[in-house]
Amino acid sequence: MRFDWSVVWHNAGALAEGVELTLLLAVTTMVISIPGGIILALMRLSNVRALSAASAAFVELFRNLPLILVVYTAYYVMPVTTGLNLSALATGIVALSLNVSAYNSETFRAGIASIRKGQTEAAYALGMGRWQTLKEIVLPQAIRRVLPVLASTWVSLFKDTSLVSVISVGELAYTSMRIRAQTFRVLEMLTAMAAIYWLLGYPQAKLVDWINRRYGVKE
Amino acid sequence: MSTVVAAPTGVRRSDAGVPVLAYRHVVKRFGGLTVLNGVSMEVRHKEVVCLIGPSGSGKSTLLRCTNGLELIDEGEVAFEGKALPRDWNGMRRVRQRMGMVFQNFELFPHKTALGNIAVGPMTVLGTPRDKAEKQAHGLLGKVGLADKAASYPFQLSGGQQQRVAIARALAMEPEVMLFDEPTSALDPETIGEVLNVMKQLAEEGMTMVVVTHEMTFAQRVADWVVVMDRGAIIEQGPPEQIFQAPTVERTRSFLSHLGWSG
């Protein structure tokens, strides 16, 4: 068997564009899903029954559906049922955000619940309101406490962006598969794809470990 | 009511004016358990009142009912002559004027010593950061920790953490300070530094309610000592009465259990 790695170099530009789109998908999704997850978690913890039930329903729905199904549904069904005609990229971001927000919600809920009552009481004793207590005291601690979980969600998300290739979003996986189809260099393209995902993912995981060591709350 | 209130024999330092805190027949239940059973007492301006008594006698609960961390079921707690509000926002405004120090310090672990002290004024009173931090530096100096401004709680000893917690409460410039067993979680060698700060506050005329097991502190610093047992006040009076000539047998037996011999 002969390898022809030149196919990778010849398509470096296209692959770079794929990488760019992969990063855009992952970053945009996380930027939406962190506040999304916090809002869902706060709804879930609220005393208002309707809010709590709505959040629980959302989380249990999107946590338990295969992501690829959500991607397809967003692409084919959403435009018909909502009249919303988004680009493939935007549709991909919507699908990923629904899934990751659901996961983040559970992460933040556990984080908020892990902050002991005395901290809230100390804030109340200073005269802080509920919202101030949440914003100044509970959330900053909860977020630091869940950093490792958010990090592993991020690493999963980074890889799961490849699933939106099924709706022709030209991210790294789609681009690699397209080049493979055009050149028949299956092994070279799969190897290139693996190398690129790994080289991008590994430093991120290490960076998050470092952030966690640096900013984690010590008691 | 089974409450026995011994007639005080001493004279209180300030008998005039509206008491800072007045408790009238306060009842608090947790489920079927009555933890405060008709407690009545007063805390007057610039007075140090120590609450003593066996564990589970309701001292801490009484303190927590004072700033609304617990809500009372019957009776009344009045702050500066006005019954405590029952609504959240009203209670919030009252809490801004009462400082509280907890047994386990409850410093905010994600903030430095300085940040812990400045966060109250900045968040609650809207004090600008530079002003709040300047005040915080001053308070750290007052509690003897001027060099620890940038330290995080985990880098401080228990005694240092508790002194920061006292400074944090003082930053709100409270009318009264509530201390909930402030030295119970401390190593013996750091208890003194916290008690000294409290003693200094008392000398400056801060009104203080202190739940404590430190009988020496109560004897030397308190103006008024309240002995509680099983949710009721069994005796109250000036420290000379409580520690030298208790009028109630249960006070005597409580003190002798602690090895107190006067």
Side-chain angles (χ1 to χ4, degrees):
Chain A
M1 197 172 177
R2 281 181 50 243
F3 297 121
D4 179 8
W5 295 102
S6 68
V7 64
V8 178
W9 319 128
H10 285 147
N11 290 287
L15 288 171
E17 277 170 36
V19 167
E20 219 171 276
L21 216 49
T22 291
L23 286 170
L24 180 71
L25 276 165
V27 170
T28 313
T29 301
M30 212 48 168
V31 165
I32 295 170
S33 303
I34 286 180
I38 293 174
I39 291 167
L40 284 165
L42 294 179
M43 284 169 65
R44 185 73 180 267
L45 293 167
S46 121
N47 292 327
V48 182
R49 258 274 184 56
L51 288 180
S52 163
S55 166
F58 178 95
V59 169
E60 292 312 334
L61 179 66
F62 288 106
R63 242 175 16 139
N64 294 302
L65 287 178
L67 182 51
I68 198 161
L69 176 71
V70 179
V71 172
Y72 272 127
T73 310
Y75 191 63
Y76 291 110
V77 182
M78 195 172 67
V80 182
T81 52
T82 65
L84 222 59
N85 269 308
L86 299 178
S87 67
L89 176 66
T91 306
I93 290 171
V94 167
L96 288 168
S97 299
L98 289 170
N99 176 272
V100 178
S101 294
Y103 275 100
N104 282 355
S105 158
E106 287 300 279
T107 305
F108 285 119
R109 185 161 73 107
I112 292 167
S114 77
I115 306 303
R116 57 171 195 277
K117 200 172 147 224
Q119 288 285 300
T120 312
E121 289 186 342
Y124 288 169
L126 287 171
M128 286 192 202
R130 289 196 180 95
W131 173 246
Q132 291 170 334
T133 301
L134 198 65
K135 188 169 138 286
E136 292 289 330
I137 307 305
V138 177
L139 279 181
Q141 292 185 59
I143 290 170
R144 283 165 214 226
R145 203 165 277 186
V146 301
L147 268 181
V149 188
L150 284 181
S152 68
T153 305
W154 165 262
V155 173
S156 300
L157 164 65
F158 187 74
K159 294 176 291 178
D160 287 348
T161 52
S162 59
L163 287 171
V164 303
S165 61
V166 299
I167 55 168
S168 312
V169 178
E171 44 65 76
L172 179 56
Y174 180 84
T175 307
S176 310
M177 291 301 118
R178 183 174 54 75
I179 298 166
R180 180 210 58 177
Q182 287 163 354
T183 62
F184 304 108
R185 306 310 314 189
V186 179
L187 200 128
E188 288 88 339
M189 285 320 294
L190 288 179
T191 309
M193 198 171 137
I196 296 170
Y197 270 114
W198 192 87
L199 285 172
L200 289 171
Y202 184 72
Q204 289 169 21
K206 288 288 127 187
L207 177 70
V208 175
D209 284 350
W210 178 81
I211 291 172
N212 190 38
R213 274 199 308 277
R214 175 77 180 69
Y215 296 101
V217 177
K218 298 176 195 77
E219 284 199 70
Chain B
M1 209 163 291
S2 64
T3 316
V4 181
V5 180
T9 53
V11 180
R12 285 180 91 147
R13 189 200 283 187
S14 75
D15 265 336
V18 180
V20 178
L21 290 166
Y23 304 79
R24 294 185 198 99
H25 310 295
V26 172
V27 175
K28 171 69 189 171
R29 300 185 195 91
F30 289 122
L33 186 72
T34 305
V35 285
L36 293 176
N37 191 5
V39 170
S40 298
M41 63 172 243
E42 284 183 355
V43 178
R44 294 179 187 167
H45 192 53
K46 297 194 172 188
E47 215 175 37
V48 177
V49 172
C50 282
L51 300 179
I52 65 170
S55 298
S57 56
K59 312 179 295 290
S60 290
T61 305
L62 187 65
L63 210 62
R64 293 167 59 83
C65 287
T66 310
N67 70 349
L69 289 181
E70 303 288 352
L71 295 177
I72 60 175
D73 293 303
E74 285 172 39
E76 182 188 84
V77 180
F79 176 51
E80 294 181 331
K82 278 192 216 133
L84 290 182
R86 305 291 292 190
D87 66 298
W88 173 265
N89 281 321
M91 202 56 236
R92 245 188 86 187
R93 282 190 290 277
V94 169
R95 284 188 189 128
Q96 292 168 18
R97 304 174 54 215
M98 294 182 182
M100 186 159 194
V101 175
F102 298 84
Q103 184 177 349
N104 295 315
F105 332 131
E106 297 299 350
L107 288 183
F108 306 129
H110 60 302
K111 291 187 183 289
T112 60
L114 194 76
N116 265 278
I117 301 170
V119 70
M122 281 168 58
T123 314
V124 179
L125 307 174
T127 309
R129 176 180 293 274
D130 52 345
K131 196 173 162 221
E133 289 188 344
K134 195 168 164 233
Q135 182 203 20
H137 277 295
L139 286 166
L140 276 172
K142 187 182 164 80
V143 298
L145 295 170
D147 56 333
K148 298 291 184 191
S151 300
Y152 282 89
F154 79 94
Q155 295 168 319
L156 300 173
S157 74
Q160 290 171 332
Q161 289 190 53
Q162 194 61 301
R163 285 187 279 157
V164 174
I166 293 172
R168 174 177 70 178
L170 290 175
M172 296 296 291
E173 297 179 351
E175 307 292 318
V176 55
M177 286 281 287
L178 311 173
F179 292 87
D180 188 6
E181 303 199 24
T183 58
S184 297
L186 295 178
D187 296 329
E189 64 266 32
T190 63
I191 289 176
E193 64 194 52
V194 172
L195 292 180
N196 281 338
V197 169
M198 291 168 62
K199 190 159 168 273
Q200 181 197 334
L201 269 182
E203 282 161 4
E204 290 167 9
M206 175 62 77
T207 308
M208 294 163 56
V209 187
V210 185
V211 172
T212 187
H213 293 293
E214 294 295 328
M215 294 304 144
T216 312
F217 176 83
Q219 192 200 20
R220 292 197 187 143
V221 181
D223 298 296
W224 198 253
V225 179
V226 175
V227 190
M228 293 186 69
D229 190 19
R230 285 174 243 166
I233 294 175
I234 55 170
E235 179 169 5
Q236 54 180 316
E240 308 82 67
Q241 172 195 327
I242 302 298
F243 293 106
Q244 276 142 40
T247 55
V248 178
E249 176 50 37
R250 269 196 289 167
T251 305
R252 214 168 295 151
S253 91
F254 165 66
L255 289 172
S256 73
H257 276 301
L258 293 176
W260 183 264
S261 50

